[in-house]
Amino acid sequence: MNRRLEETPETLAEQAADWIVRLSADEPGERRAAESGFAAWKQADPRHAAAAARLEALLGRLDHIRDNGSQAPARQALRAARLRRTPRRIGAALALGAALLLPAWLALHSTPAPVLLADLRTGSGEWAERTLADGSRLSLNGNSAVDLEFDAKTRTIALLRGEILVDVAPDRDRPFVVSTAHGSIRALGTRFLVSREADATVLSMIESRVEVSIDGQPRPLVVGAGQRLRFTSGDAGELATVDGELLETAWQRHQLVVRNEPLGNVLDQLARHRPGLLRYDAAALAGLHVSAVLPLDDTDRALQLLINNFPGLRIRTLTPYLVVVDHPKTR
Amino acid sequence: MSAAASPDPLHQLYASHHGWLHGWLRRKLGCPEHAADVAQDTFLRLIGSRDALLALCEPRAWLTTTANRLIIDRARRHAVEQAWLNELAALADPLAGFASPEEQLLAAEALAQIAAALEAVPAKAGEAFLLHYLDGLTHAEIGERLGVGPRMVRKYLVQCLVACAPAEPT
């Protein structure tokens, strides 16, 4: 407790910082002088060396970020943290409140602006159901967002992210349209699921028929009950068969039903129900297909169930926010 | 940790307050696992802490203050980690340049540490720090950009580095 003044951790850090700043001074002469001076200072005392090492390790990681050209993501990440300042100033109670809201808050700050401003939005693992003004029912799967544009002439739902199930109330005068970045789906009265993936929209019909207008395609396409269409801008994929009733039951039970789908796609879908990131080694998973019914309310279990079917794969939980699926031999 | 004899005050503190702290955190956080982690970290923080004496005089006040601070730190760390990983994931080839996800996490950890430091310094100092160590600008270029002299740039950088130095050696 009776340390001399110059040996408190604070002044040690200050001295180390001072040397480190001189190391990258603009004048070459000063940099050279700092190098030898810093080395001598570190040698003088193991506590000096330790204080220097901690800062150097930190700056080394920043160098690494710069070498990878990842400055922009880094700044974005720092900005996400900076938004915490206000609650902190107001007081500990509020700051704690903010911490409790963290899951919602995380979703907020890792989300593009249109999704933030969406009329209806759910977080990971959160489901919502809403009766719309016209009597149509809209359910949102986890991590989904929609904008509603209802007026005298149209009823439009813009699916910004995720997956929705719509049960359309008939209205001859106002068509019901679900639009995505890849095209639009127009219905009179019907029930269907629309899911937005990164580069495609997947429509699964439960009841009746809809007309799909795909961006860049001259003629609309009709999709009927029990059919599934996966389309991207300018490209309609093949129609596939689905069991509409099973899909709807699964939706109600918060289950994911997949039939002979690429494992990577299934992991993408599970990822939507988890906070944080689910990464996988696409090369290791290539060619693997899976059929399964998976619990979406317990994605850890779902993941385990999936991976149990593929003994060669492993799951690594690096933090609660980063889970990696890969093939031990391919790394 | 030394295998302390039974009258070890830390042991006693742990025995008489850990259950209470865990309960308090569980009510605050509504998540038993998260509460258990924070409670554990709070006691770890006590070991080697310079205000251990204070903790012994006013154990519950010290524990709740420390736990609150840890909750904020964790929230910040998770926010930074999440934002960083999301940003990388949005890039065409997220793993390019980073040999492994572990390496990405080390970078995220460094960013979280820096984020905490930047909260403690003036905005201009933080900007100087990022311009120099992240973007690679020279002291002179930063001075020009921020409209301050070279001495001030240097002062900013030292100030940030000091704030980055962890208070307790880990």
Side-chain angles (χ1 to χ4, degrees):
Chain A
M1 292 291 146
N2 51 0
R3 290 166 170 145
R4 280 176 296 139
L5 183 65
E6 69 270 25
E7 283 176 350
T8 65
E10 287 78 10
T11 51
L12 272 185
E14 221 162 284
Q15 290 173 41
D18 197 54
W19 281 117
I20 287 172
V21 170
R22 283 196 230 172
L23 281 181
S24 60
D26 290 353
E27 298 81 29
E30 187 179 1
R31 288 203 296 269
R32 272 194 302 276
E35 262 163 47
S36 51
F38 189 32
W41 181 80
K42 284 195 277 194
Q43 263 193 334
D45 190 320
R47 278 170 304 177
H48 294 183
R54 283 196 292 274
L55 282 177
E56 285 175 317
L58 183 74
L59 294 179
R61 289 177 193 172
L62 273 185
D63 279 348
H64 195 54
I65 290 172
R66 189 171 63 197
D67 292 344
N68 283 310
S70 303
Q71 292 96 328
R75 275 190 181 260
Q76 202 59 39
L78 291 170
R79 206 166 297 139
R82 207 173 306 154
L83 294 167
R84 294 193 51 77
R85 278 184 127 169
T86 319
R88 203 173 186 193
R89 279 184 188 153
I90 292 171
L94 257 183
L96 184 62
L100 300 182
L101 289 172
L102 187 65
W105 185 81
L106 280 179
L108 208 79
H109 290 287
S110 57
T111 304
V115 173
L116 277 185
L117 302 171
D119 296 336
L120 286 174
R121 186 154 52 85
T122 54
S124 320
E126 207 178 59
W127 299 65
E129 206 171 331
R130 194 65 70 87
T131 303
L132 304 176
D134 65 334
S136 296
R137 305 274 305 160
L138 170 68
S139 320
L140 278 79
N141 200 330
N143 211 355
S144 302
V146 296
D147 269 339
L148 304 175
E149 293 153 40
F150 276 45
D151 57 32
K153 282 190 191 141
T154 58
R155 299 176 287 170
T156 301
I157 295 184
L159 176 58
L160 305 171
R161 176 158 93 179
E163 187 175 37
I164 53 173
L165 185 149
V166 283
D167 191 346
V168 181
D171 182 341
R172 292 233 158 258
D173 304 324
R174 284 195 303 169
F176 192 101
V177 176
V178 175
S179 68
T180 72
H182 313 111
S184 60
I185 298 155
R186 182 189 165 105
L188 286 169
T190 180
R191 230 170 31 244
F192 57 93
L193 268 165
V194 188
S195 172
R196 225 186 114 163
E197 296 175 0
D199 51 357
T201 298
V202 181
L203 161 71
S204 308
M205 292 303 300
I206 295 168
E207 203 182 273
S208 186
R209 298 190 308 168
V210 294
E211 227 176 53
V212 183
S213 306
I214 297 167
D215 287 353
Q217 295 267 308
R219 291 233 239 91
L221 230 133
V222 174
V223 182
Q227 290 187 314
R228 167 174 286 178
L229 179 72
R230 184 193 173 90
F231 60 94
T232 59
S233 298
D235 182 34
E238 296 276 294
L239 278 174
T241 325
V242 287
D243 182 339
E245 212 171 301
L246 179 66
L247 276 183
E248 199 174 12
T249 315
W251 178 281
Q252 277 155 7
R253 291 185 187 158
H254 298 185
Q255 289 170 331
L256 174 65
V257 180
V258 292
R259 195 172 287 176
N260 200 25
E261 267 192 57
L263 183 54
N265 284 4
V266 179
L267 289 175
D268 285 342
Q269 292 179 64
L270 279 184
R272 211 170 56 220
H273 295 270
R274 303 171 60 84
L277 288 184
L278 176 60
R279 284 283 175 72
Y280 55 85
D281 180 345
L285 268 52
L288 298 178
H289 284 68
V290 62
S291 298
V293 177
L294 300 167
L296 288 176
D297 288 339
D298 184 352
T299 50
D300 284 339
R301 213 180 113 235
L303 260 180
Q304 201 56 58
L305 284 171
L306 261 186
I307 299 306
N308 286 347
N309 285 314
F310 301 97
L313 297 178
R314 65 172 173 183
I315 307 178
R316 289 183 296 156
T317 307
L318 295 175
T319 77
Y321 286 94
L322 179 62
V323 174
V324 175
V325 176
D326 63 6
H327 202 300
K329 284 170 214 141
T330 61
R331 285 234 165 240
Chain B
M1 267 172 274
S2 60
S6 50
D8 180 347
L10 279 184
H11 264 214
Q12 270 182 353
L13 193 77
Y14 187 91
S16 31
H17 300 293
H18 181 269
W20 171 83
L21 180 67
H22 186 211
W24 183 80
L25 283 166
R26 214 168 36 218
R27 279 192 304 282
K28 287 238 158 225
L29 299 171
C31 167
E33 281 166 31
H34 192 178
D37 284 353
V38 176
Q40 197 60 32
D41 286 357
T42 305
F43 279 98
L44 278 179
R45 192 56 73 92
L46 183 58
I47 298 166
S49 157
R50 270 179 297 154
D51 49 36
L53 268 179
L54 184 65
L56 294 176
C57 301
E58 292 280 351
R60 294 199 168 177
W62 187 91
L63 289 171
T64 48
T65 309
T66 305
N68 271 332
R69 207 175 298 149
L70 283 173
I71 289 167
I72 293 166
D73 284 351
R74 279 172 165 246
R76 185 196 299 111
R77 200 168 62 224
H78 281 157
V80 171
E81 205 170 285
Q82 176 87 358
W84 164 245
L85 294 173
N86 279 348
E87 288 294 320
L88 286 187
L91 299 177
D93 183 4
L95 286 170
F98 286 92
S100 65
E102 287 87 344
E103 230 168 57
Q104 293 185 3
L105 274 186
L106 283 181
E109 218 175 86
L111 289 173
Q113 200 179 334
I114 289 164
L118 294 187
E119 283 191 26
V121 300
K124 263 194 183 179
E127 191 50 32
F129 180 84
L130 294 178
L131 286 173
H132 188 59
Y133 290 108
L134 192 62
D135 299 330
L137 264 59
T138 65
H139 292 193
E141 285 166 339
I142 296 166
E144 207 166 297
R145 183 85 71 96
L146 299 180
V148 298
R151 286 176 65 96
M152 201 59 201
V153 172
R154 195 174 280 224
K155 203 180 139 198
Y156 283 156
L157 295 178
V158 170
Q159 195 178 7
C160 282
L161 283 170
V162 169
C164 283
E168 321 275 348
T170 40

